[in-house]
Amino acid sequence: MIDFTIIGNNFYEYTPARLIEEAKKARLGVQAVLYKDLDFVIKEAGVEILYNGRALQPSKIAILRLAGTPQRQFLVKWFQSQGGRVLNAQTYLRWIYSDKIEQHFQFQKAGLPFVPSINISSVERLTVFNKFPYIVKYNLSSKGRDVRKITSSAEIAALVPKKYKARRLLVQPFLKAGEDLRVVVLGGRAVVTFSQSVYPRIPNIPSFFCCS
């Protein structure tokens, strides 16, 4: 296990640069990681974080810069699950909200049904996925906005120039059947449950009439 990991958007500012310098002076093994190069993977076998396509190394100590960064809960819990300690965990989790990758992480952890998911930093990283068809959408979004079904490499090439905006994306397999189950919890109790299903496409009827 590596000694020290720091994750941030850059390492030229004083604080992260000084932390790295002091760790090296103490002869600690240092892992400096950029958020933009991280992919978050959830599958049946467990969860995984990739850094530039390779498994991120766990560490004894971690510091996570930028408390408002999405996937912060995922990162903190992953390091802790690997036996590490996140020094600024409480501060880092102060502003809590659940994004899509965090939701599926919680489902997988609790043994509930979930969709295998990969969280990537940009549309350019879609080029490594070649198991068609699959779904791509923003990790932080709602109401079915900007959800795309990708069926070929040509469709990826068409998306790249448009940039799909500079936001993290969620990649999931295309499911031909199933339902979307929603549960409203108040005070630790499930008070309302309902499901959403996609109806078969009706010829000559726009797709936005096909879902309930």
Side-chain angles (χ1 to χ4, degrees):
M1 182 182 290
I2 200 167
D3 295 310
F4 174 58
T5 295
I6 181 169
I7 304 181
N9 280 344
N10 67 71
F11 302 116
Y12 54 78
E13 294 179 353
Y14 176 79
T15 299
R18 182 63 184 274
L19 286 170
I20 294 170
E21 179 184 353
E22 292 299 322
K24 289 181 177 179
K25 285 182 180 179
R27 297 184 177 180
L28 298 176
V30 181
Q31 181 176 229
V33 176
L34 295 173
Y35 284 112
K36 70 179 183 66
D37 295 324
L38 290 175
D39 295 337
F40 301 82
V41 182
I42 301 178
K43 49 190 177 183
E44 292 291 344
V47 299
E48 187 177 24
I49 300 179
L50 303 180
Y51 182 50
N52 284 326
R54 296 184 177 182
L56 181 68
Q57 296 184 55
S59 62
K60 298 175 183 177
I61 295 174
I63 292 179
L64 310 178
R65 298 275 293 162
L66 302 173
T69 305
Q71 293 82 52
R72 57 191 179 277
Q73 296 189 63
F74 194 120
L75 281 164
V76 169
K77 293 169 184 174
W78 182 83
F79 274 109
Q80 292 172 342
S81 72
Q82 301 298 311
R85 180 185 177 193
V86 179
L87 294 184
N88 60 332
Q90 290 186 340
T91 302
Y92 200 70
L93 296 175
R94 183 176 298 168
W95 295 276
I96 295 180
Y97 66 92
S98 291
D99 54 33
K100 289 182 176 65
I101 197 68
E102 171 66 17
Q103 292 167 4
H104 288 285
F105 174 71
Q106 294 297 336
F107 295 155
Q108 194 272 350
K109 181 180 177 182
L112 296 172
F114 68 96
V115 180
S117 306
I118 301 178
N119 178 287
I120 61 175
S121 60
S122 67
V123 67
E124 285 82 3
R125 297 181 78 86
L126 287 176
T127 55
V128 303
F129 300 101
N130 53 17
K131 293 183 179 180
F132 304 108
Y134 60 79
I135 297 297
V136 61
K137 52 189 164 183
Y138 287 125
N139 185 60
L140 295 174
S141 188
S142 60
K143 301 178 181 178
R145 289 189 290 260
D146 295 307
V147 177
R148 296 176 185 266
K149 178 183 176 184
I150 305 298
T151 61
S152 68
S153 298
E155 292 184 12
I156 298 174
L159 283 178
V160 170
K162 298 177 182 178
K163 293 297 184 184
Y164 217 101
K165 298 182 181 178
R167 288 163 55 185
R168 297 197 70 95
L169 302 174
L170 197 72
V171 180
Q172 297 175 318
F174 176 70
L175 304 180
K176 296 182 179 180
E179 62 182 8
D180 182 3
L181 181 65
R182 304 298 175 95
V183 181
V184 179
V185 178
L186 291 176
R189 298 180 59 189
V191 295
V192 177
T193 63
F194 62 95
S195 64
Q196 299 182 113
S197 300
V198 178
Y199 288 112
R201 184 68 182 270
I202 302 173
N204 302 320
I205 300 296
S207 60
F208 54 78
F209 286 120
C210 293
C211 306
S212 68

